[in-house]
Amino acid sequence: MTMTDEELTGLIAARFGDGSLSAGLEQVQRRGRRRRSRSRIATAAAVVLGLAGAAGLTAYGLDRHEQAEQVAAFNRSCQAAYAAEAAKTGRAAQLPTTLGEPLLELRRGDARFRLYTSAPGPLRSMTFDCARSADGTVSGRVSYGPTDVPELGQPLVAYRDHLPDGTVAVVAQLRDPADVLTVTPAGGGVQTAQRDGMAVVWGPGEVLDGATLSVRDGSLDLARDVLAVTATFQEEEFDRYCRRTVAQRPELRGATRALTARYGDTWALQVYRAEGAVALCSWTNMADDPDNGVSYHGPALGLGSATDAVPGSVLASSDRQQWLAGLTLPGTEQVEVVGEAGTRVQAQLGDGVYLARLPSAESHKTITMTTATTVHTFTNGKMTQRPR
């Protein structure tokens, strides 16, 4: 059959529709483009999510790394503080050289408090607390004991550590490790932790000043009871001891502190003066004397006093050094102490008192007080004077 061009065009239009083949191809192309667009969007979203996840993992890793660095820095600071404290005791060779893992650790915001201990053995037993304030300041306090295990004579003993940020930590040892330490009154921002017979109470100083620590068979009143003495000097605790002990002596009623002195890490002294009385309060880190079998387990506190005191009378305290205290004449500008061997010492002057140090083996011979016009010399309780 022969068809004209017009007839052939009509047949195609009847079978396929005019332009239908071209339209179908465009629809296929559009659908393909939409699928490719959706695929690209999905791929981009996956990339974004992957990057976000990687960023989260990176941030987490950085945070963990920073925390590890902070812990390592605190470890180094505690070790340095411990070495410095041990050196002050004069017994560093008898104490462990490095700290182990802390027995207890407490947190107050950005502040940290750790307690380290070591058991007795070839070396002395040791307790060391290390604190980091929120501003990054690190401090430490050490105490030591004998090379054998001592038996506590009371249900609990404790020392108090005054920290740089104004908080106070009380470190207690319990005779019975099974006891549970309680603090009265409770609250007030005070934290407690306990393990293996040791306990830490940490909080604001004004709260703990009047607190009581209790176990089953006993208690400690932190305001009134005598606490253990740390191996290195604490001015706050020394002041507290001297004021409380002076107040308990009837002959020193109304006494005021007239002079303070410090001699390295070995001595700290306060001289008190009352009407007709003088008192000498001392903190002494006495050196061991192995030749005579003498070994100390920590510094000693003491208070000596003299009544009916007058200028020229002497109150003495000694341990391989001799400390001489006494009242001065009105207007005294200088005090010189001369020893039996000829040693001459210029005394430290306070409010109506003096304090001088001589070698312990040398007794004093004369005391000379100089005023603006006169030189007064005291020998064996007798005074002579001459114009200046």
Side-chain angles (χ1 to χ4, degrees):
M1 181 177 63
T2 302
M3 289 194 279
T4 64
D5 292 340
E6 291 80 4
E7 291 172 332
L8 180 59
T9 302
L11 178 62
I12 292 172
R15 293 286 300 273
F16 299 104
D18 185 27
S20 62
L21 182 60
S22 173
L25 287 172
E26 290 178 1
Q27 290 172 0
V28 170
Q29 290 172 349
R30 283 196 298 273
R31 285 195 294 270
R33 284 195 296 270
R34 285 196 295 269
R35 283 195 297 269
R36 286 194 295 274
S37 177
R38 286 194 296 268
S39 177
R40 285 195 295 270
I41 291 171
T43 301
V47 169
V48 171
L49 289 173
L51 289 173
L57 289 173
T58 302
Y60 177 72
L62 289 173
D63 184 58
R64 289 289 298 274
H65 177 72
E66 184 178 354
Q67 290 178 357
E69 283 296 313
Q70 291 175 350
V71 170
F74 189 25
N75 290 342
R76 291 191 295 270
S77 296
C78 286
Q79 180 63 50
Y82 170 68
E85 283 286 291
K88 291 178 184 178
T89 68
R91 295 167 172 83
Q94 303 174 33
L95 298 172
T97 56
T98 58
L99 298 172
E101 290 296 316
L103 179 70
L104 294 169
E105 183 162 358
L106 295 83
R107 308 175 67 172
R108 295 173 61 86
D110 291 331
R112 301 288 185 274
F113 184 92
R114 288 178 175 177
L115 181 68
Y116 298 86
T117 61
S118 69
L123 300 174
R124 290 175 177 267
S125 60
M126 177 276 295
T127 300
F128 177 70
D129 67 68
C130 182
R132 186 185 69 197
S133 304
D135 65 1
T137 302
V138 175
S139 64
R141 189 70 60 190
V142 69
S143 293
Y144 59 81
T147 55
D148 55 1
V149 179
E151 184 172 338
L152 294 183
Q154 51 194 20
L156 74 162
V157 294
Y159 71 82
R160 180 169 30 213
D161 189 4
H162 298 261
L163 305 179
D165 62 2
T167 60
V168 166
V170 179
V171 177
Q173 182 178 4
L174 313 184
R175 184 168 59 192
D176 183 355
D179 266 341
V180 176
L181 184 76
T182 60
V183 183
T184 308
V190 173
Q191 295 175 261
T192 62
Q194 184 174 333
R195 180 183 172 191
D196 296 344
M198 300 296 297
V200 171
V201 180
W202 183 26
E206 62 273 15
V207 175
L208 287 179
D209 271 351
T212 298
L213 310 184
S214 302
V215 292
R216 183 179 62 254
D217 296 329
S219 63
L220 275 177
D221 185 329
L222 298 182
R224 295 197 301 266
D225 292 338
V226 176
L227 302 186
V229 183
T230 55
T232 53
F233 181 70
Q234 286 197 83
E235 186 174 356
E236 300 90 343
E237 287 299 288
F238 182 47
D239 285 347
R240 185 188 295 263
Y241 167 81
C242 292
R243 285 187 277 107
R244 182 180 62 238
T245 310
V246 166
Q248 293 170 349
R249 299 282 185 91
E251 70 274 16
L252 298 176
R253 185 175 292 109
T256 58
R257 187 172 62 189
L259 184 151
T260 62
R262 180 89 181 270
Y263 182 64
D265 297 315
T266 306
W267 285 85
L269 302 109
Q270 295 184 1
V271 181
Y272 286 78
R273 179 173 63 89
E275 184 66 32
V278 63
L280 182 61
C281 186
S282 62
W283 174 94
T284 313
N285 183 21
M286 293 179 282
D288 294 339
D289 185 2
D291 292 339
N292 294 309
V294 177
S295 176
Y296 298 98
H297 301 156
L301 295 169
L303 180 77
S305 63
T307 56
D308 300 323
V310 295
S313 58
V314 175
L315 175 64
S317 176
S318 67
D319 172 57
R320 300 171 196 172
Q321 297 290 334
Q322 185 175 193
W323 292 93
L324 308 174
L327 301 178
T328 59
L329 293 166
T332 295
E333 298 176 356
Q334 178 181 308
V335 173
E336 182 182 68
V337 177
V338 180
E340 292 285 357
T343 303
R344 292 179 175 270
V345 176
Q346 296 299 314
Q348 180 178 340
L349 298 181
D351 181 15
V353 299
Y354 71 88
L355 179 68
R357 180 171 61 91
L358 279 176
S360 61
E362 187 173 0
S363 302
H364 76 279
K365 181 178 180 181
T366 63
I367 298 172
T368 301
M369 300 183 188
T370 303
T371 65
T373 60
T374 309
V375 177
H376 306 264
T377 301
F378 298 87
T379 306
N380 296 325
K382 296 180 179 181
M383 183 183 73
T384 60
Q385 58 187 35
R386 61 178 175 83
R388 183 174 181 179

